[in-house]
Amino acid sequence: MQITTLKTLLDTLNYPVAYQRFRRAVDPPYIVFEFAYTNNFEADDTVYRVRPRYSVYLYTNLKDPEIEEQIEQLFQDNYIVWDKTETFLADEELTQIIYTIYER
């Protein structure tokens, strides 16, 4: 998956979306995503397939299962495998949901 493709998919959710950061402050809910790492398929000292992983961060004022369901359905509809973690950012008073995603 390319960064532009991921941005296009996330834009369909109709929330503000940015790669790594917004240039100006935006009100939650919003989504930030970035390249995280690769988990390549390799053998015989050769990389046969580069498998990039991305982190997608959802920020909300309060936990919002409806938005999470929208994101997860988007991933499901587009055959994107994901793992999910959650934390509360006390300094910013925001809930942060982190999806680590990759294609099958």
Side-chain angles (χ1 to χ4, degrees):
M1 173 177 296
Q2 296 181 1
I3 290 172
T4 54
T5 303
L6 181 55
K7 170 90 166 77
T8 300
L9 285 174
L10 293 171
D11 281 339
T12 66
L13 296 168
N14 295 317
Y15 299 105
V17 176
Y19 183 78
Q20 292 183 329
R21 65 183 174 86
F22 288 93
R23 294 182 188 263
R24 296 184 197 106
V26 294
D27 292 326
Y30 60 86
I31 298 169
V32 176
F33 71 101
E34 64 185 357
F35 171 81
Y37 62 95
T38 61
N39 184 8
N40 298 335
F41 174 73
E42 57 188 78
D44 302 323
D45 298 324
T46 300
V47 173
Y48 287 96
R49 182 165 183 228
V50 176
R51 298 184 308 189
R53 304 297 195 248
Y54 295 92
S55 295
V56 175
Y57 305 90
L58 168 65
Y59 295 93
T60 57
N61 288 323
L62 300 170
K63 180 159 176 72
D64 194 327
E66 184 177 314
I67 297 174
E68 292 174 47
E69 288 175 19
Q70 291 172 5
I71 292 171
E72 293 162 18
Q73 189 62 55
L74 176 72
F75 294 159
Q76 186 70 23
D77 291 346
N78 289 278
Y79 305 99
I80 297 170
V81 180
W82 52 273
D83 293 309
K84 176 178 167 180
T85 58
E86 176 180 328
T87 190
F88 180 72
L89 305 175
D91 291 349
E92 299 177 49
E93 296 187 14
L94 293 174
T95 297
Q96 178 190 56
I97 306 295
I98 305 169
Y99 294 95
T100 302
I101 66 167
Y102 50 97
E103 292 179 277
R104 294 182 187 179

